[in-house]
Amino acid sequence: QLDTTGTVDATPKILDANIELYDTDAYWSGSIPSRFYIPTPGYYLVGAYIAWALNGSGDRGVTLIVTGASSALGSVRHPAATDDQTYQTFCGEDRFAAGISIQVEVEQTSGSPLAVGGWFWIRRLAEDTSLATPSHSIAVQESVGVANVFTRS
């Protein structure tokens, strides 16, 4: 589960994970709570679900940052929902070398600090022992929707 300390304003913020629900391959460690590590080279599905506090102004953005390669896996940006909380889901698949880490960065332009929370997931789809460097040929799927699930502050 992803959570922030306080709120997010217009400055991009890396989210920390605060609860590990299921992790069979040591993708996450509480010692560096903002990073999710790739332990074995291969093809992975990674994604994030972000829930923003109610505020109909501005837009909301989510970026998955590949820290071992100093680049972004991809990002999405949408206008805020005007009648309920804004929710964003972003996922994609790519090839990664062992040791790469991924972080979830969020930002928003409502003009006010907003509470934010969410979830991150990662799943190895296939092993690739011949992989020396990541390919970054991501196939992105994204969605945005509104509902009333939770807020974090």
Side-chain angles (χ1 to χ4, degrees):
Q1 180 176 343
L2 298 171
D3 202 4
T4 64
T5 304
T7 57
V8 174
D9 56 21
T11 304
K13 181 170 185 165
I14 299 290
L15 298 182
D16 287 341
N18 62 359
I19 298 172
E20 182 178 53
L21 299 177
Y22 183 76
D23 185 358
T24 60
D25 289 331
Y27 294 119
W28 181 78
S29 168
S31 63
I32 305 177
S34 68
R35 294 188 181 207
F36 302 88
Y37 290 93
I38 303 295
T40 306
Y43 293 88
Y44 287 83
L45 176 67
V46 296
Y49 165 82
I50 304 299
W52 295 92
L54 178 63
N55 181 313
S57 299
D59 60 0
R60 311 293 181 265
V62 179
T63 302
L64 296 178
I65 298 172
V66 181
T67 57
S70 300
S71 64
L73 180 60
S75 63
V76 295
R77 180 169 288 280
H78 297 100
T82 57
D83 57 351
D84 207 336
Q85 287 180 266
T86 300
Y87 298 92
Q88 294 174 298
T89 302
F90 176 61
C91 67
E93 59 185 300
D94 205 345
R95 288 173 48 183
F96 294 107
I100 295 291
S101 65
I102 299 168
Q103 294 179 297
V104 179
E105 180 182 80
V106 295
E107 66 178 303
Q108 56 91 13
T109 62
S110 71
S112 302
L114 295 180
V116 63
W119 304 92
F120 175 84
W121 62 90
I122 184 168
R123 173 146 182 124
R124 187 174 67 229
L125 303 174
E127 197 168 324
D128 184 353
T129 56
S130 66
L131 185 62
T133 59
S135 68
H136 294 296
S137 57
I138 187 169
V140 174
Q141 296 182 3
E142 60 178 272
S143 66
V144 63
V146 294
N148 192 13
V149 179
F150 68 90
T151 60
R152 297 280 176 209
S153 61

